[in-house]
Amino acid sequence: MASKKKWLSLLVSLSVVSALFVGCGDSKTADAPKDEPKKEEPAKNTDGEKKEEPAAGTPKDGGTLTFGSTSDIVSVNPIYVQDTASGDAEQFLYAKLFDIDRSGKVAVEPWSLAAEPMTISDNGLEYTIKLKDGIKWSDGQPITADDVVFTFETIRNPKAGSPGITGFDKVTKIEKVDDKTVKITLKEIYAPFQYVLASEIVPQHILKDVKPEEMQKFSYGMDPAKTVTSGPWKWTEWKQKEYLTFEANPDYWGPKPHIQKVVYKIYADQNTEVQALIKGDIDLVSGVPVTQLDVLKSKDNLTVSTDPGPQYEYIGLNHKPENFKDNYVPWNTAKTRQAMAYALNRQGMIDNVLKGIGTIMDAPFLPGSWADPKDAATHYGYDPEKAKALLAEDGWKAGSDGILVKDGHRFSFELQYNAGNSRREAVSAVIQQNLKDVGIEVKPKALDFAAWIDQNLNPGKFEAVLIGWSLNNPDPDQETTFGSKFTPPTGQNNVWYKNPELDKLWEQGTSTVDQAKRAEIYKEAAKILSTDLPYIFMYQYGTPEAMNKKIKFADDDKPEPSLSYGYFFHAINWWIDDAK
């Protein structure tokens, strides 16, 4: 989570468990996108005859992998990807400098751009990266040290507004040693930096003349014809709000993917998406509503996984007065925020909406991880009476309509979440009722995800949001999310939270590589976050996944739910077998 997180969709994930990510809703007939991409024809030899089928269990070349989503992408430009939908597409289109293995460690894979593990100097300040020979962009141009330097210099430039700037603010120099070697010098030890380097890069020869401040709106990443990539598949088509297609790159420099074509279909909601899986219109869903798990488990042709994932959901409380009527922030004191936390029946949400697939979180460190603060974090049990008492102590009094009033302002706010996410729809309704019970009016509002990210979440223009974070690496540093200097457009602190004491702890936590010392520092950070509550932390949730058994893979290449985008783990080695 050090370099950049992904909005689960900030994961937020977009589609996920009915409760966690999703909510409950009535099943609907699955309508395929209107202008649906054509099915892949059976593979043929050059003489037009069908290829001989390989033996069972042997990887087969060809075929189409189709996966579903309830959200469209925003941009696949790696400098700006921070939502799950765009991140899904990114997995197929780009190679990373370094990859993350199943255990969560930085690794060099055959499909990584790096030729060998990074070299770290004895003082922990210099990182050297060596690239493989023969790697190239989808337009045939070589991938060189110039691309790495350009990418990282752009990310660390505040004018570019990249969410990945955290970590690079510790960098003093990025040097091209030769065409295949880059050396990066830090001004201080930054323990998570190895994960920062497990990232994608962009083509310098395509973007070098684009001004940093114009990069985000540039066509690269939003126009398939102008988006040069480095991965096993090329981006061939985007029918907005309907589908994207990726074709295997015949000139790909790495191990060739078995799957010829990947189709990313977009559905109106999760229940429709699941019906498409049942009908066979798609092969994989990474966020299954828990209300449909039993139905999917009963299907002989499907495999369902409910293992917990690296994501948590929260209510983001904006702290910037300009986002409120009369510049009045109703939760401008910690006591009021604590009262709101006590008013929410989080365990009830887990039991009834998430159907038990979730764990309460009081601070943004995953339960069971080495940074888990356990009892050091303040716990907020469901206690409406305590909530009412705290609100009264903080000066809130019931108005004529029963809604609390303070300083002439009604305690009323809009809670935004992404449309099509049935879990969040259901959770938002519980939040609305829980807070109404203590005199707070909540107005839930569902918004189209891509537009929501661009117009509200990224610039921090909202009152409150219900969303989640998918942690894209195992390191617990969260300065980019809660650090005072990482408010929009220079980071992901989009609730405009500022706490100098916490800022110091983030710096201390990354300035040592001693894990035990770091754990103690993050325990102190958890104490602050769980009492000051820039967010109301909700729960870690699982992301039930379901896939058609025609998707085949060796045991070493099976999906890994503990990792961000782990549902596509080693997809380059998967194959499709339609044999009945």
Side-chain angles (χ1 to χ4, degrees):
M1 111 181 47
S3 61
K4 60 182 179 181
K5 296 201 193 85
K6 314 285 186 182
W7 283 104
L8 232 71
S9 256
L10 285 114
L11 307 128
V12 174
S13 232
L14 303 186
S15 60
V16 84
V17 186
S18 136
L20 275 199
F21 270 75
V22 214
C24 303
D26 295 330
S27 298
K28 299 180 182 178
T29 301
D31 295 320
K34 290 173 262 183
D35 192 3
E36 188 168 309
K38 294 180 180 178
K39 297 276 188 181
E40 185 72 17
E41 294 295 325
K44 296 181 179 180
N45 291 312
T46 54
D47 60 2
E49 294 298 318
K50 290 184 180 180
K51 290 182 179 179
E52 184 175 339
E53 295 295 335
T58 302
K60 298 170 62 175
D61 292 338
T64 299
L65 168 67
T66 305
F67 68 92
S69 175
T70 57
S71 296
D72 203 347
I73 67 167
V74 178
S75 169
V76 298
N77 181 338
I79 291 175
Y80 297 103
V81 170
Q82 63 174 328
D83 64 277
T84 302
S86 301
D88 283 342
E90 187 182 38
Q91 306 309 304
F92 296 92
L93 299 175
Y94 290 90
K96 293 180 173 64
L97 274 178
F98 299 93
D99 283 271
I100 306 296
D101 69 15
R102 194 177 295 280
S103 66
K105 296 178 181 177
V106 176
V108 175
E109 302 283 9
W111 45 85
S112 304
L113 296 175
E116 59 190 48
M118 65 187 77
T119 301
I120 305 174
S121 63
D122 291 341
N123 64 5
L125 298 179
E126 294 180 355
Y127 288 70
T128 302
I129 304 164
K130 289 189 178 295
L131 301 176
K132 286 184 173 81
D133 292 325
I135 55 178
K136 56 185 177 181
W137 296 103
S138 56
D139 64 357
Q141 292 297 308
I143 298 174
T144 70
D146 290 322
D147 297 306
V148 179
V149 172
F150 175 81
T151 300
F152 291 163
E153 288 288 11
T154 301
I155 291 173
R156 67 192 291 247
N157 185 340
K159 291 182 179 180
S162 171
I165 193 171
T166 303
F168 284 102
D169 70 316
K170 313 292 192 303
V171 171
T172 59
K173 187 164 48 175
I174 303 173
E175 304 172 82
K176 172 184 174 181
V177 177
D178 56 45
D179 282 347
K180 295 295 177 184
T181 310
V182 175
K183 185 170 76 171
I184 302 174
T185 304
L186 307 184
K187 61 185 177 183
E188 60 192 51
I189 291 176
Y190 184 60
F193 195 65
Q194 61 174 323
Y195 289 107
V196 175
L197 297 179
S199 62
E200 301 81 0
I201 63 171
V202 298
Q204 187 246 13
H205 68 284
I206 298 294
L207 298 171
K208 62 182 179 180
D209 296 325
V210 181
K211 295 179 181 179
E213 57 269 30
E214 298 174 358
M215 184 79 70
Q216 189 166 8
K217 299 297 183 182
F218 189 63
S219 57
Y220 182 88
M222 292 182 278
D223 181 346
K226 297 179 181 179
T227 304
V228 174
T229 57
S230 57
W233 292 271
K234 296 194 297 185
W235 191 14
T236 52
E237 190 177 6
W238 181 18
K239 189 79 170 179
Q240 292 192 14
K241 300 187 184 303
E242 294 185 26
Y243 67 86
L244 297 85
T245 60
F246 316 126
E247 298 277 355
N249 178 5
D251 300 317
Y252 175 58
W253 50 269
K256 303 299 182 183
H258 298 299
I259 294 171
Q260 172 62 31
K261 186 175 184 179
V262 178
V263 179
Y264 175 149
K265 288 187 182 179
I266 302 156
Y267 291 89
D269 55 59
Q270 287 176 310
N271 291 312
T272 306
E273 180 186 26
V274 168
Q275 290 302 312
L277 177 69
I278 293 172
K279 289 175 60 179
D281 292 336
I282 57 178
D283 308 316
L284 185 154
V285 172
S286 62
V288 176
V290 293
T291 52
Q292 303 222 28
L293 284 177
D294 289 342
V295 172
L296 295 184
K297 288 178 179 178
S298 71
K299 304 298 180 181
D300 293 338
N301 65 326
L302 299 177
T303 299
V304 180
S305 170
T306 58
D307 293 334
Q311 50 268 332
Y312 69 87
E313 203 142 72
Y314 65 92
I315 300 174
L317 303 173
N318 210 308
H319 297 257
K320 189 176 184 180
E322 288 83 350
N323 287 307
F324 296 84
K325 182 181 179 181
D326 300 328
N327 293 331
Y328 185 81
V329 181
W331 42 73
N332 58 10
T333 66
K335 185 171 288 188
T336 287
R337 297 192 291 273
Q338 291 165 6
M340 294 173 69
Y342 278 117
L344 296 177
N345 188 357
R346 295 181 295 165
Q347 189 60 52
M349 296 174 197
I350 292 172
D351 294 341
N352 300 312
V353 180
L354 305 178
K355 305 304 180 184
I357 306 178
T359 303
I360 285 179
M361 288 179 63
D362 294 306
F365 302 102
L366 292 181
S369 69
W370 63 263
D372 183 355
K374 299 189 170 104
D375 294 340
T378 299
H379 175 67
Y380 298 89
Y382 178 46
D383 192 338
E385 294 308 311
K386 188 166 187 176
K388 291 177 183 178
L390 287 172
L391 289 165
E393 288 175 18
D394 211 24
W396 291 98
K397 297 180 180 180
S400 58
D401 59 356
I403 301 302
L404 297 174
V405 177
K406 179 180 177 181
D407 301 328
H409 299 277
R410 293 177 77 249
F411 202 154
S412 175
F413 67 93
E414 180 180 88
L415 177 67
Q416 299 177 359
Y417 64 94
N418 53 302
N421 189 310
S422 55
R423 182 192 69 258
R424 291 195 181 127
E425 180 181 3
V427 169
S428 70
V430 177
I431 292 170
Q432 183 182 39
Q433 184 60 55
N434 284 168
L435 293 183
K436 181 181 180 181
D437 290 343
V438 298
I440 300 172
E441 180 180 59
V442 179
K443 295 174 287 187
K445 184 174 184 179
L447 296 170
D448 173 73
F449 188 75
W452 186 41
I453 287 283
D454 186 53
Q455 299 170 21
N456 301 92
L457 289 175
N458 287 349
K461 294 181 179 179
F462 54 82
E463 294 179 344
V465 292
L466 174 63
I467 199 166
W469 278 116
S470 175
L471 310 181
N472 68 335
N473 74 58
D475 196 276
D477 175 50
Q478 296 187 56
E479 185 179 19
T480 185
T481 311
F482 301 106
S484 299
K485 62 183 177 181
F486 292 108
T487 53
T490 58
Q492 294 176 313
N493 179 2
N494 65 339
V495 297
W496 305 89
Y497 175 68
K498 296 186 178 182
N499 187 313
E501 184 180 358
L502 187 62
D503 291 340
K504 292 178 182 177
L505 289 173
W506 295 132
E507 293 177 4
Q508 292 171 17
T510 58
S511 62
T512 177
V513 295
D514 186 312
Q515 191 174 98
K517 291 181 179 178
R518 294 187 74 199
E520 289 302 312
I521 292 168
Y522 293 128
K523 186 177 292 186
E524 292 302 311
K527 291 178 182 178
I528 292 175
L529 287 165
S530 64
T531 54
D532 207 26
L533 294 180
Y535 295 171
I536 295 178
F537 301 99
M538 302 289 281
Y539 35 69
Q540 176 191 20
Y541 52 89
T543 56
E545 300 162 11
M547 65 169 59
N548 194 297
K549 290 180 180 178
K550 72 179 183 180
I551 302 174
K552 306 293 185 180
F553 37 75
D555 193 58
D556 288 345
D557 302 315
K558 65 183 179 182
E560 180 47 62
S562 68
L563 299 177
S564 177
Y565 301 103
Y567 38 86
F568 294 136
F569 188 73
H570 287 190
I572 191 173
N573 290 335
W574 296 1
W575 69 95
I576 302 296
D577 189 344
D578 286 307
K580 302 296 183 183

